[in-house]
Amino acid sequence: YQRRVHGCMYARNDCKIFRFCGSKCTKAFKRKMNPLKTKWTKAFRKSRGKELVNDKTMLFERRRNIPVKYNRTLMQSVLKVMKRVEVIKDRRQKTFAAKRALVTIRTETASDMKVLRQNLDWIPERHRNAVEENLKEGDRAIQERTDKKRLRKRSERKLQAKKDKLQNAIAAH
């Protein structure tokens, strides 16, 4: 093992190099723990859709082992682009996190509504009518959302069918 500033690096006999951020990751690797089944790993988060994975801005951060001759104008343009890409990446990560939070909010709201329906007798009489009205509004909102999703999926299927017909017509000629 070679020590670096943060974490360590392990070089296997077949020249495969593993880089670890800290001792926790190193110990997990030595214990042969599967990173896809360990909740705190990047691999787990990416495989379960908890982090932004397939995004074009990630391509800029890849390592490239191709030497490039120094060019001042190229370097200036690269630095400008790097700043712009960072802004775009931050914005996309924020929207991704907001979408994930929205899903959890919806599921929590649905479970809260279910609990309220089951335990309406716990609510005092003077507040019961307001709670029942709110439950009805929540049901309407959920129904509207599902209807919109259904319509969107139907329109996507129709559009895909049209594209397939065009491709078949082009292929036939």
Side-chain angles (χ1 to χ4, degrees):
Y1 289 93
Q2 289 180 325
R3 289 275 172 204
R4 289 184 10 217
V5 178
H6 290 289
C8 62
M9 183 172 72
Y10 172 70
R12 206 162 55 184
N13 287 344
D14 61 352
C15 297
K16 173 84 170 119
I17 295 173
F18 298 92
R19 298 177 192 277
F20 304 106
C21 56
S23 63
K24 182 180 180 181
C25 301
T26 311
K27 289 173 187 172
F29 177 77
K30 286 179 182 175
R31 280 188 253 131
K32 297 183 179 179
M33 290 172 66
N34 187 354
L36 292 175
K37 294 180 180 176
T38 310
K39 287 191 174 185
W40 50 265
T41 60
K42 280 279 203 191
F44 176 88
R45 293 186 61 76
K46 287 181 179 178
S47 68
R48 300 296 166 100
K50 296 185 181 298
E51 284 191 15
L52 197 59
V53 180
N54 298 328
D55 192 35
K56 301 282 187 204
T57 57
M58 303 292 184
L59 295 174
F60 292 106
E61 294 180 358
R62 282 193 184 158
R63 274 200 175 158
R64 291 173 182 83
N65 294 328
I66 303 165
V68 179
K69 190 174 180 183
Y70 178 76
N71 184 350
R72 185 180 183 131
T73 56
L74 176 70
M75 191 59 75
Q76 288 174 342
S77 63
V78 165
L79 290 173
K80 285 180 187 176
V81 169
M82 282 172 63
K83 290 176 186 173
R84 181 72 181 132
V85 166
E86 194 63 34
V87 169
I88 293 169
K89 184 179 168 187
D90 288 342
R91 186 177 53 211
R92 287 184 182 172
Q93 284 180 338
K94 284 178 184 175
T95 57
F96 181 76
K99 283 181 183 178
R100 281 196 61 229
L102 189 66
V103 170
T104 56
I105 288 169
R106 286 180 180 166
T107 55
E108 287 175 359
T109 304
S111 64
D112 291 345
M113 287 172 52
K114 183 179 177 182
V115 169
L116 271 173
R117 271 195 199 86
Q118 291 172 348
N119 303 313
L120 267 175
D121 55 320
W122 292 0
I123 299 169
E125 284 293 326
R126 62 179 185 266
H127 299 298
R128 195 171 293 167
N129 290 334
V131 170
E132 287 174 350
E133 192 62 36
N134 287 340
L135 285 173
K136 288 177 186 174
E137 283 181 33
D139 288 338
R140 274 188 240 118
I142 290 172
Q143 189 63 38
E144 286 175 13
R145 264 199 309 267
T146 54
D147 290 344
K148 284 180 183 178
K149 273 186 186 176
R150 219 175 275 134
L151 288 172
R152 195 178 315 122
K153 283 183 181 178
R154 189 179 300 153
S155 64
E156 287 173 1
R157 279 193 299 249
K158 285 181 180 179
L159 187 67
Q160 187 63 39
K162 285 181 182 179
K163 285 181 182 178
D164 291 343
K165 278 185 181 180
L166 279 172
Q167 287 178 350
N168 291 337
I170 291 171
H173 287 284

